[in-house]
Amino acid sequence: MAIYTYSSKLLLLLSFTFFNYCIACHRTDRSALLAFKASITTDPLGLLESWDHTTDCCREWVGIACDPATGRVVNLTRPGLMSGADFVTDASLVGILSPAIGSLSHLRVLDLTNLKRLTGPIPPSLGHLSHLTDLLLSSNDLTGHIPASLSRLRHLRRLFLNSNRLSGRIPSSIFSSKSLIQLALFENQLTGGIPESIGRLEFLEKLDCHANLLAGPIPDSIGSLHRLTHLDLSDNRIRGSIPSSIGNLTSLIVLDLYKNDLAGSIPASISGMFSLQFCRLSYNRLTGRLPKSIGYLPRIQKLVLENNAISGEIPSSIGGLTTLCDIFLANNRLTGKIPSSIGKLKNLQTLDLARNHISGPIPHEFANLHNLQSLDLCYNPIRFTSLPAWLGEMSIYRLMLSNTGIMGPLPDWLRLASSISALDLSNNHISGELPFWIGNMTGLTFLNLSRNAIRSTIPNEFKNLAMLMDLDLSYNNLYGPLLPVLTKGVSEALGQYKTLDVSRNDFTGGIDESIGDLVAMEVVEILDFSYNPLGGRIPESMAKLSALKEVRLANDGLLGEIPDGLLDLQELTEFDVSGNELTGRIPRHDAPLPAVGFSGNAGLCGDPLPPCGL
């Protein structure tokens, strides 16, 4: 997560606030600037057009500001991305960062961000800029190592080298600049560890090194950065445990250690970070129990701990996180029951406990979660006898209860659950019919009822699901025609299928000849009708479904030939019509479709099967 922004507009404004009546530009500085311009081979929007050797660089060169008393250049601000009240400029420069810039000995601000195609190494000569407070070179194509000479910049407050292709280790010497407030090194190819010397940066407020190749442990000295508000080391290869000293970061608002190789348990000292609002420790190898102290974070809003190996029960102290909006604990090894204290989290909007070993029942205190929008308990042994009726009184937008042991028919209270947009009740023991009132759930965009024991036809009211885009009814006992599924209504902006899976049922009556002309089918990408006794032919109009990526029609009792054009769809990557009674030559196709997708059709021939006429 990028946590740095810098106003190029402000820096440009500073460039013009110095007095117009200053003495002429110093010739050393003019020569350095012209050398930089000479190192630029392409300037599409003329960022340096005003830099002319016949004019004064202090008065007439855009992006240059001088000290009016000495004529020395103090600001060089030529960012590629600039904006104003009524304009946005997105420019680039092609060339290298000239070492001559190191001759601008009075420079305070160097902003060459977002020039995209500025290449080559960072010149070590920049270490001569002893007055520099802001070194901003982000979003370019710079390569090589971070020069150790930057350690000489004793007044540096902001160092932005992010979004380049820098490599090598972070030199420990650059942490000798104690005035540093913001350090952005993210989105590079930096290796090695985080130097222990980082603890010297007593004024550091923001540190972002995400999306590099950093390894080694988080240094214990990190706990000395008492003014730190943002720490992002995500998407690296950092190993070891989270140091207990992290609890000393009392000003920290954002902690992001996502996608590393961290192990051990979450330190109990986490409660010391009483300013923390966002905490993401997901996709690591964390183990042990959640510390009781995790319930003592008075300002926490988002807690993301998914995809670790955290075990034990969820501590009841978690009910003390009254500011919490979102909690993600999926894909861990949590056991026991959900604590009733979660019902105290009045601001909770998302609760994700999927893929753990949590048992039921759901505490009735959940009914107090009036702001809850997303509840995911999938793949837990909840063992519902029936879904609690109070779920229908909530305004849940996303309800995911796959493989939680639900039994019996779909509960009647769902007919009133118009707020639900995504509903997953797959892999349960739901029986009975698909009720007519399913058409009342008009807010549905995603519906998964697969792998149950539902036995009925598709009710006509299904046509009312005009926002539905993803449907999975596979592995049930549904029968009758497919037409009610294919001809459902659509809304103005939503409602056209992206994925449609009705495989492993008992649908009959063939595939409708007009399938390629039906509005609900226009943008479908994945189509699975396999293992149904459909019969009939593959409609020629199916070749009009230009967005198709995957088509599965295996074992459907299909006859006749494969229509021309169907295999030549540009996006097609998978096509399976195996186990039917198709005949004739397989139409031409560019996609590398395997022979297994055409097997079991004695009358088919041609690539990828043996040639016709043999």
Side-chain angles (χ1 to χ4, degrees), residues 78-309:
R78 287 281 71 195
L81 192 61
M82 297 172 288
S83 63
D86 56 355
F87 75 93
V88 175
T89 301
D90 191 0
S92 64
L93 290 178
V94 180
I96 65 168
L97 188 57
S98 172
I101 290 181
S103 300
L104 300 172
S105 57
H106 287 65
L107 198 65
R108 298 173 195 165
V109 175
L110 175 59
D111 182 1
L112 297 174
T113 57
N114 268 296
L115 292 171
K116 292 93 173 172
R117 299 162 71 186
L118 201 60
T119 59
I122 298 173
S125 62
L126 296 189
H128 298 314
L129 304 177
S130 58
H131 296 283
L132 203 64
T133 62
D134 298 84
L135 177 54
L136 314 175
L137 300 176
S138 58
S139 299
N140 285 295
D141 197 26
L142 300 172
T143 54
H145 295 190
I146 299 173
S149 61
L150 298 187
S151 62
R152 302 179 196 146
L153 306 180
R154 302 295 182 181
H155 300 288
L156 198 63
R157 294 168 61 84
R158 295 174 180 84
L159 176 59
F160 293 179
L161 304 179
N162 57 282
S163 307
N164 282 286
R165 291 192 295 129
L166 300 173
S167 57
R169 292 175 171 269
I170 302 173
S172 60
S173 58
I174 71 168
F175 296 134
S176 59
S177 180
K178 294 186 178 181
S179 59
L180 207 60
I181 294 176
Q182 296 184 9
L183 176 59
L185 303 177
F186 61 88
E187 294 175 356
N188 279 292
Q189 299 165 17
L190 299 172
T191 56
I194 300 168
E196 186 76 26
S197 58
I198 196 170
R200 301 174 187 168
L201 303 180
E202 56 186 283
F203 294 103
L204 194 66
E205 296 176 1
K206 296 183 179 181
L207 173 62
D208 192 342
C209 295
H210 83 263
N212 277 287
L213 303 171
L214 297 174
I218 300 173
D220 192 63
S221 63
I222 202 90
S224 301
L225 306 179
H226 299 297
R227 301 192 184 197
L228 200 65
T229 61
H230 292 70
L231 174 59
D232 190 348
L233 304 177
S234 63
D235 199 4
N236 278 288
R237 300 172 181 177
I238 297 170
R239 58 182 184 272
S241 59
I242 300 172
S244 60
S245 65
I246 207 164
N248 298 330
L249 302 180
T250 56
S251 300
L252 200 67
I253 297 171
V254 172
L255 173 62
D256 197 347
L257 303 179
Y258 157 81
K259 204 175 180 182
N260 278 288
D261 197 28
L262 294 166
S265 57
I266 297 171
S269 62
I270 192 172
S271 59
M273 295 189 287
F274 47 75
S275 300
L276 198 62
Q277 297 179 19
F278 177 93
C279 178
R280 185 165 67 159
L281 310 179
S282 52
Y283 288 88
N284 281 286
R285 295 189 297 115
L286 298 173
T287 57
R289 293 173 173 265
L290 288 173
K292 182 180 179 181
S293 58
I294 206 166
Y296 307 140
L297 297 171
R299 295 179 177 85
I300 194 71
Q301 295 179 17
K302 195 162 190 171
L303 187 59
V304 187
L305 307 178
E306 63 194 1
N307 291 284
N308 281 288

Side-chain angles (χ1 to χ4, degrees), residues 515-516 521-527 538-553 562-577 586-593 598:
I515 187 171
M521 303 298 296
E522 284 182 353
V523 296
V524 67
E525 297 177 0
I526 299 175
L527 188 63
I538 301 175
E540 291 185 6
S541 68
M542 190 177 284
K544 297 179 181 180
L545 302 178
S546 58
L548 277 175
K549 296 178 180 178
E550 301 174 17
V551 178
R552 304 185 189 100
L553 304 175
I562 300 173
D564 287 337
L566 180 55
L567 301 187
D568 211 26
L569 294 174
Q570 188 173 358
E571 302 294 328
L572 194 65
T573 59
E574 182 179 340
F575 188 78
D576 187 355
V577 289
I586 296 173
R588 69 169 300 279
H589 53 278
D590 294 325
L593 302 175
F598 301 91

Side-chain angles (χ1 to χ4, degrees), residues 436-453:
F436 72 90
W437 50 254
I438 195 76
N440 294 351
M441 302 184 71
T442 53
L444 281 175
T445 62
F446 173 95
L447 175 63
N448 190 349
L449 299 177
S450 65
R451 297 181 183 272
N452 280 290

